[in-house]
Amino acid sequence: MAIFEGAGVALATPMKADGAIDFDKLKELVEFQIEGGTDAIIVCGTTGEASAMTHEEHIETIRFVCQVVNKRIPVIAGSGSNWTETAIYLSQEAEKAGADGLLVVSPYYNKATQKGLIAHFTAIANSVAIPVLLYNIPGRTGVNIQPETIVTLCKNVENIVGVKEASGNFSAISTLMSLAEGCVDLYSGNDDQIVPLMSLGGKGVISVLSNIAPRQTHEICASYLEGDVKKSAKMQLKAIPLITELFREVNPIPVKAALNMMGMGAGPLRLPLTEMEEANQAKLKKAMEEYGLL
């Protein structure tokens, strides 16, 4: 049984002017997502600026979101780290906080071997009872989780159930799903690749776009799952210009700018991320207007 099917939002974390987490706005964002039909909330991931949080903030944010959601939809907590012991700590605390599952990124900077990745993810998964999704994003981590490694983990570790794939490498993803024999729950980590990835057996997407267009992103996935591939593909293609602008600068810079344009009060970013360039904001605003969000 998959943790979720459809569109899960990689939720942005709103900040006050002084950089503190704005929990009142965070509650509003969560409710906006649920009202918009989002199928799951992923908290404290890349988009949530978890890498710029203290451990205490990280855990508090997960706990808060779990309390607000109150089991209405699944909450998946980002709990990865480049040090296995830290990832275990964050994963255990996320489980205590009420998370329904974990999203664990491959250890960055260390550049572990595939043997090291297996040991790392196995140790984390064995420390908790809730399901674990691997997160393969070599563009950020410098490490690619090979298809054979993903399958080995999903087959041999009971609560490692799937992967968020953000490599963009469809040859590798095809190989993965060929080897998997149904044991890997696959989610797109790229909003511009939802439909192609679902055509290979994907369950849906963990989405940045969902922050500002939850209903539309949900419907891209729901239409596909209901068998209306033509409608799903049409919606995917309509969203491409907006998705392009959402990644004009490194995520989550543009999506926080977009949320602020919509009056959602996402606030500033934490350094080393900085505000979106004015020229790029203009392009983003135009794309949002053309998509019907402004």
Side-chain angles (χ1 to χ4, degrees):
M1 181 74 177
I3 304 173
F4 78 96
E5 289 190 345
V9 61
L11 192 68
T13 304
M15 307 285 183
K16 298 178 181 178
D18 64 0
I21 296 170
D22 190 333
F23 287 99
D24 290 337
K25 291 297 181 183
L26 181 57
K27 182 178 180 181
E28 291 177 13
L29 291 184
V30 169
E31 294 297 346
F32 173 69
Q33 289 299 316
I34 292 175
E35 290 168 12
T38 290
D39 299 290
I41 289 179
I42 294 79
V43 59
C44 289
T46 305
T47 312
E49 296 180 79
S51 59
M53 290 182 184
T54 66
H55 292 340
E56 292 77 14
E57 287 176 319
H58 192 140
I59 295 160
E60 184 182 6
T61 302
I62 294 167
R63 184 182 298 113
F64 181 83
V65 169
C66 289
Q67 289 171 349
V68 173
V69 173
N70 194 24
K71 299 299 181 181
R72 287 177 286 174
I73 57 176
V75 175
I76 300 170
S79 61
S81 173
N82 66 322
W83 185 30
T84 307
E85 291 301 317
T86 300
I88 288 172
Y89 168 71
L90 292 173
S91 297
Q92 291 176 335
E93 291 299 317
E95 182 177 34
K96 292 176 192 174
D100 299 289
L102 303 173
L103 180 66
V104 182
V105 72
S106 55
Y108 39 88
Y109 190 78
N110 308 56
K111 302 193 78 170
T113 63
Q114 298 301 302
K115 178 183 176 182
L117 292 175
I118 290 171
H120 174 79
F121 288 121
T122 300
I124 296 164
N126 285 342
S127 76
V128 295
I130 55 178
V132 173
L133 293 175
L134 311 175
Y135 183 11
N136 189 33
I137 182 163
R140 282 187 182 262
T141 64
V143 177
N144 185 53
I145 315 173
Q146 297 289 349
E148 295 81 3
T149 300
I150 296 169
V151 172
T152 295
L153 286 162
C154 288
K155 284 187 174 179
N156 294 306
V157 184
E158 184 177 2
N159 59 328
I160 296 181
V161 298
V163 62
K164 175 185 176 182
E165 250 297 344
S167 68
N169 183 341
F170 273 92
S171 294
I173 295 168
S174 298
T175 299
L176 165 65
M177 296 307 281
S178 174
L179 295 171
E181 299 176 329
C183 77
V184 177
D185 292 339
L186 174 67
Y187 299 91
S188 178
N190 296 317
D191 283 311
D192 59 349
Q193 298 175 352
I194 302 170
V195 173
L197 187 134
M198 290 185 76
S199 75
L200 295 172
K203 301 283 186 182
V205 63
I206 295 177
S207 168
V208 175
L209 175 65
S210 282
N211 278 279
I212 58 173
R215 179 64 63 187
Q216 296 92 325
T217 315
H218 163 80
E219 289 181 359
I220 291 172
C221 296
S223 296
Y224 193 99
L225 292 168
E226 290 163 5
D228 195 342
V229 177
K230 192 171 183 178
K231 178 182 176 183
S232 179
K234 184 178 180 180
M235 293 184 71
Q236 168 83 88
L237 294 174
K238 180 182 178 182
I240 292 296
L242 176 56
I243 293 165
T244 298
E245 298 310 323
L246 282 174
F247 292 89
R248 176 70 61 183
E249 294 183 24
V250 69
N251 179 50
I253 291 173
V255 75
K256 288 196 95 170
L259 285 165
N260 288 329
M261 289 178 198
M262 293 172 69
M264 301 294 285
L269 300 123
R270 287 186 173 179
L271 288 170
L273 299 184
T274 53
E275 298 303 313
M276 195 175 192
E277 298 287 345
E278 286 187 15
N280 290 336
Q281 285 200 45
K283 294 175 184 176
L284 174 60
K285 183 179 180 182
K286 181 181 178 184
M288 292 172 69
E289 289 171 344
E290 291 175 350
Y291 196 68
L293 296 178
L294 294 176

mmCIF file of all heavy atoms in Angstrom, residues 110 124 194 240 245 267:
data_model
loop_
_atom_site.group_PDB
_atom_site.id
_atom_site.type_symbol
_atom_site.label_atom_id
_atom_site.label_comp_id
_atom_site.label_asym_id
_atom_site.label_seq_id
_atom_site.Cartn_x
_atom_site.Cartn_y
_atom_site.Cartn_z
ATOM 1 N N ASN A 110 29.533 13.777 1.203
ATOM 2 C CA ASN A 110 30.374 12.617 1.505
ATOM 3 C C ASN A 110 30.664 11.763 0.272
ATOM 4 O O ASN A 110 31.692 11.105 0.190
ATOM 5 C CB ASN A 110 29.705 11.712 2.547
ATOM 6 C CG ASN A 110 29.280 12.470 3.785
ATOM 7 O OD1 ASN A 110 28.536 13.430 3.689
ATOM 8 N ND2 ASN A 110 29.737 12.044 4.927
ATOM 9 N N ILE A 124 18.891 3.812 8.762
ATOM 10 C CA ILE A 124 17.823 4.788 9.042
ATOM 11 C C ILE A 124 16.473 4.089 9.105
ATOM 12 O O ILE A 124 15.696 4.275 10.054
ATOM 13 C CB ILE A 124 17.816 5.895 7.981
ATOM 14 C CG1 ILE A 124 19.117 6.698 8.027
ATOM 15 C CG2 ILE A 124 16.605 6.814 8.161
ATOM 16 C CD1 ILE A 124 19.365 7.545 6.794
ATOM 17 N N ILE A 194 5.876 14.782 -14.762
ATOM 18 C CA ILE A 194 4.888 13.979 -14.037
ATOM 19 C C ILE A 194 4.306 12.882 -14.923
ATOM 20 O O ILE A 194 4.323 11.694 -14.570
ATOM 21 C CB ILE A 194 3.751 14.863 -13.491
ATOM 22 C CG1 ILE A 194 4.298 15.955 -12.575
ATOM 23 C CG2 ILE A 194 2.731 14.003 -12.744
ATOM 24 C CD1 ILE A 194 3.268 17.020 -12.198
ATOM 25 N N ILE A 240 3.776 23.805 -18.302
ATOM 26 C CA ILE A 240 5.224 23.864 -18.551
ATOM 27 C C ILE A 240 5.798 25.284 -18.483
ATOM 28 O O ILE A 240 6.837 25.498 -17.847
ATOM 29 C CB ILE A 240 5.584 23.188 -19.893
ATOM 30 C CG1 ILE A 240 5.335 21.671 -19.813
ATOM 31 C CG2 ILE A 240 7.040 23.472 -20.272
ATOM 32 C CD1 ILE A 240 6.196 20.918 -18.806
ATOM 33 N N GLU A 245 9.433 28.828 -15.111
ATOM 34 C CA GLU A 245 9.741 30.021 -14.311
ATOM 35 C C GLU A 245 9.923 29.692 -12.833
ATOM 36 O O GLU A 245 10.669 30.376 -12.136
ATOM 37 C CB GLU A 245 8.654 31.079 -14.502
ATOM 38 C CG GLU A 245 8.511 31.585 -15.925
ATOM 39 C CD GLU A 245 9.832 32.016 -16.555
ATOM 40 O OE1 GLU A 245 10.686 32.591 -15.842
ATOM 41 O OE2 GLU A 245 10.019 31.772 -17.755
ATOM 42 N N GLY A 267 7.054 35.121 2.973
ATOM 43 C CA GLY A 267 8.166 35.849 3.569
ATOM 44 C C GLY A 267 9.487 35.639 2.861
ATOM 45 O O GLY A 267 9.542 35.160 1.723
#
